Amino acid sequence: MQALTNAPAGAARGVSAAARPLVSVVVPVFDEAGTLPELVRRLTDVARTLEVRYTFEFVLVDDGSSDRTLTVAEGLAVLDPRISLVSLRRNYGQTAALQVGFEHARGDIVVSMDADLQHFPEDIPAFLDKIEEGFDVVCGWRADRQEGVNRRWPSAAANWLLRRLTGLTIHDIGTTFRAYRGDVVRQLRMLGEHHRFIPVLAANVGASIAEVPIKNIGRPVGASHYGLSRTFNVLLDIVFLVFYIKYLDRPMRVFGRLALVALAAASGITAVLGYIYLAYGVPVVRERSGWFLLALVLFVSGIQFLLFGLISEVIVRLYFYPGQAKPYLVRTVTGNAADVRR
Ligand code: UDP
Ligand code: MG
């Protein structure tokens, strides 16, 4: 297990603090003025009970709130120097807010949680214990989830699908109440709504993943920022995720296979139509026009898939080795030109 030292932050806090790992609690906040004071109060209470073992900082990210969240957060930050406040210019979404929060978190351990009090600060010690056991990412598991079936069933289906596709064994991949080893979370580069899939992204780079059961309640104040469309968005994200973790360095394996299936089907149909024409003299283009059109569509699709595969192979070369390709290879250079720095 990697040692949890607290070099730069601890140095400024004196000798005793230096021995204690720094825990950064990152909280994305969007229109949560009603819950923020209680959240921070409970977080400070928890931090106090753990002060022998850890030092704490709290990174609140205001995601372009339109209520009094920013004013409330500024007021709280004045009272407690451990609170950092990052304020985004507009509402960018939970993923962007978390990404920014992670980039500003200096902790040896980083904890992410929601601001709406659905996550209990009192559960943080259990996360930290698991990290101390040596895990890189510890996920909260809403074992006794208190939300309606409209939330629980799509989530259960998505978790089942993700476990099948990614080999992860934890129950609750999507909840954002988690703890991470600092170096693991700081290498994440998330886009879209990928905050839900951090365990998958982390496992993909070799992180060890564990889970702890957490308390869960319905939202005490306000309403969720997500509606039913989340279900469909998650399905689309899962398609991308499978591509990302399995085929990012070999996209032709996906598009090439699709191309082969389409072209094989097109060839099969064309062969049968050709046989019918030659053996029985049936004018297949006119009398079997449906099959003829199907073969045509499959053929065109197959070619498209193949070209998509080729383009993707070029793009991922740009992604992994940007600016490194040259369209030629020099054998030798003699004369003054040999001194030219390249
Ligand atoms: N959130 C955010 N930006 C957004 C939407 C949500 O920072 O655009 C924050 C929100 O303030 C909360 C957390 O993300 O702290 C989870 O949001 P919510 O409770 O609406 O999601 P749910 O619990 O329904 O998944
Ligand atoms: Mg919530």
Side-chain angles (χ1 to χ4, degrees), residues 91-331:
N91 175 241
Y92 285 95
Q94 196 177 345
T95 294
L98 269 176
Q99 175 78 47
V100 171
F102 292 154
E103 281 162 18
H104 286 81
R106 301 166 303 152
D108 308 293
I109 303 170
V110 177
V111 173
S112 62
M113 65 187 300
D114 293 354
D116 57 2
L117 296 178
Q118 281 193 281
H119 297 159
F120 284 53
E122 295 75 22
D123 282 330
I124 289 179
F127 284 89
L128 299 180
D129 287 347
K130 272 277 176 214
I131 290 277
E132 295 289 357
E133 276 179 36
F135 291 101
D136 295 315
V137 178
V138 180
C139 303
W141 167 27
R142 294 163 289 188
D144 179 24
R145 200 166 167 184
Q146 298 294 318
E147 290 165 307
V149 288
N150 60 328
R151 290 294 304 274
R152 281 186 284 123
W153 288 2
S155 168
N159 275 309
W160 176 82
L161 196 60
L162 276 170
R163 279 196 297 271
R164 291 285 313 258
L165 294 171
T166 63
L168 276 181
T169 51
I170 58 171
H171 294 84
D172 193 351
I173 297 170
T175 186
T176 39
F177 198 2
R178 308 188 189 105
Y180 323 81
R181 205 166 286 277
D183 52 345
V184 171
V185 80
R186 276 187 283 270
Q187 58 80 38
L188 290 174
R189 296 290 176 268
M190 293 181 291
L191 285 174
E193 295 191 347
H194 280 186
H195 60 276
R196 301 196 180 102
F197 308 111
I198 291 178
V200 179
L201 301 173
N204 190 42
V205 292
S208 54
I209 318 281
E211 66 183 352
V212 289
I214 54 171
K215 289 182 216 65
N216 177 250
I217 52 168
R219 212 179 212 279
V221 179
S224 171
H225 295 97
Y226 302 98
L228 202 61
S229 62
R230 156 158 51 188
T231 311
F232 303 103
N233 294 338
V234 166
L235 276 179
L236 292 175
D237 284 346
I238 290 176
V239 174
F240 170 75
L241 215 58
V242 171
F243 177 78
Y244 184 79
I245 62 174
K246 293 200 171 142
Y247 298 105
L248 188 65
D249 61 345
R250 60 200 72 183
M252 195 57 166
R253 295 283 169 90
V254 177
F255 295 108
R257 277 178 203 161
L258 290 171
L260 285 182
V261 170
L263 291 176
S267 310
I269 296 170
T270 310
V272 173
L273 290 180
Y275 173 76
I276 294 173
Y277 173 66
L278 292 174
Y280 305 105
V282 179
V284 286
V285 174
R286 204 169 56 237
E287 294 197 1
R288 301 279 191 280
S289 56
W291 285 106
F292 182 73
L293 273 178
L294 182 63
L296 217 57
V297 169
L298 284 169
F299 186 70
V300 174
S301 313
I303 299 288
Q304 294 286 356
F305 281 135
L306 215 53
L307 296 178
F308 247 83
L310 291 176
I311 292 173
S312 306
E313 286 287 344
V314 174
I315 292 174
V316 296
R317 277 163 178 71
L318 272 171
Y319 174 77
F320 283 109
Y321 303 108
Q324 291 191 19
K326 281 187 175 176
Y328 53 79
L329 195 59
V330 173
R331 187 187 304 280

